[in-house]
Amino acid sequence: MSLKACIYDLDGVITDTAKYHYESWKWVSDQLEYNLTEKQNQKLKGVGRKESLDKILKWSGARISEAKKQNLLTQKNKMYLKYIDTMTPEEIFPGFNEFNKKTKEEGIKVAIGSSSRNAIRIIDKLDLVLDFHAIVDGGMTPNSKPEPDIFLLAAEKLSIDPSECLVIEDSQAGLTAAKKAGMKSILYGEDKGLKGASLQIDNWLQASLEKFKNLY
Ligand code: B16
Ligand code: MG
């Protein structure tokens, strides 16, 4: 067995969109007369849009109609997209492009596996559309993370067995999804409280492809 594919999460692994989600979810929470903390926002990482609203409703204790829910989801996304549309390739995390290039040069396939239904728009803003062999987003599978569907579809698109795919993730939902897909994972970022990863890296400048290959 050897490492044949890297499947990158997008938000929090290639770029930081959490700050834009936070501003938009804070607005939603204000409408519910609820104060969403940054710590709670961390718990929304990797979680789909609808599921994120369900969590906020649970925390706030607010009870609203299905129509109002739909309306809040639409407004949240409108606000989020305004932030996204200002993004430029400058917002790609340092060292990512170099790591991705080296990985491809070694014959390893690369894909995106994101819960975001806006993933392709973000990738386009970052000018990365042509840099992956496959892109799977939250609109392409019935279940979002922590279910394994997104990563399994990425492996299928790459024609690589899940056991030879490595997921790079910043969220517990994503690490759990990787495990359920039968894939090893790397925790990206400094949140050392998260469980399930084989290795942790603080940033791309620290990433060693050799170490990743040695996991297989
Ligand atoms: P959207 P990832 C996830 O993306 C985000 O981490 C999470 O905070 C967000 O709620 C989810 O996408 C859905 O995003 O509203 O754009 O469809 O980390 O899986 O790349
Ligand atoms: Mg993420």
Side-chain angles (χ1 to χ4, degrees):
M1 193 153 73
S2 62
L3 173 60
K4 298 231 173 76
C6 283
I7 306 178
Y8 310 104
D9 172 44
L10 175 63
D11 294 337
V13 166
I14 294 178
T15 190
D16 177 21
T17 48
K19 57 187 182 219
Y20 303 137
H21 280 297
Y22 185 40
E23 289 305 319
S24 317
W25 284 130
K26 254 200 327 209
W27 177 85
V28 168
S29 301
D30 286 349
Q31 310 307 302
L32 301 168
E33 296 181 1
Y34 182 67
N35 178 35
L36 183 77
T37 66
E38 210 160 342
K39 206 166 167 202
Q40 285 171 316
N41 189 58
Q42 299 283 334
K43 293 194 181 144
L44 303 179
K45 278 190 186 172
V47 176
R49 196 182 311 161
K50 192 179 159 296
E51 293 81 0
S52 296
L53 177 60
D54 287 341
K55 275 186 191 281
I56 294 172
L57 286 171
K58 202 169 161 203
W59 292 330
S60 69
R63 295 178 69 115
I64 57 172
S65 67
E66 200 47 46
K68 170 97 179 158
K69 262 194 207 179
Q70 284 311 322
N71 183 268
L72 284 177
L73 288 172
T74 306
Q75 303 264 43
K76 186 267 173 185
N77 201 48
K78 253 193 203 164
M79 187 169 290
Y80 179 65
L81 289 180
K82 270 196 187 160
Y83 290 115
I84 293 309
D85 286 343
T86 67
M87 290 183 85
T88 69
E90 303 279 291
E91 287 182 64
I92 301 170
F93 287 150
F96 173 75
N97 279 335
E98 293 74 8
F99 178 88
N100 194 37
K101 185 166 176 267
K102 183 171 190 291
T103 302
K104 286 188 286 180
E105 280 167 3
E106 295 212 10
I108 296 168
K109 298 274 186 208
V110 294
I112 295 275
S114 169
S115 295
S116 174
R117 288 169 180 259
N118 297 307
I120 290 173
R121 188 150 168 172
I122 298 167
I123 294 164
D124 185 37
K125 297 304 287 181
L126 299 178
D127 215 1
L128 289 175
V129 176
L130 301 175
D131 287 69
F132 305 99
H133 299 108
I135 297 175
V136 178
D137 72 26
M140 295 180 187
T141 61
N143 300 305
S144 187
K145 301 169 191 174
E147 296 313 315
D149 308 30
I150 288 173
F151 294 140
L152 288 175
L153 181 58
E156 192 183 315
K157 283 188 175 224
L158 297 174
S159 302
I160 305 280
D161 191 84
S163 62
E164 293 181 299
C165 294
L166 180 64
V167 166
I168 299 95
E169 258 292 345
D170 70 320
S171 72
Q172 189 58 60
L175 296 177
T176 304
K179 193 162 193 178
K180 286 189 180 178
M183 299 177 185
K184 288 193 171 131
S185 59
I186 306 291
L187 168 61
Y188 183 95
E190 292 165 24
D191 194 347
K192 302 200 170 97
L194 304 189
K195 295 190 183 76
S198 300
L199 276 178
Q200 181 267 341
I201 53 170
D202 287 351
N203 55 57
W204 285 111
L205 300 171
Q206 217 188 56
S208 152
L209 185 58
E210 285 314 302
K211 276 196 191 160
F212 292 3
K213 280 161 73 176
N214 286 340
L215 294 170
Y216 293 81

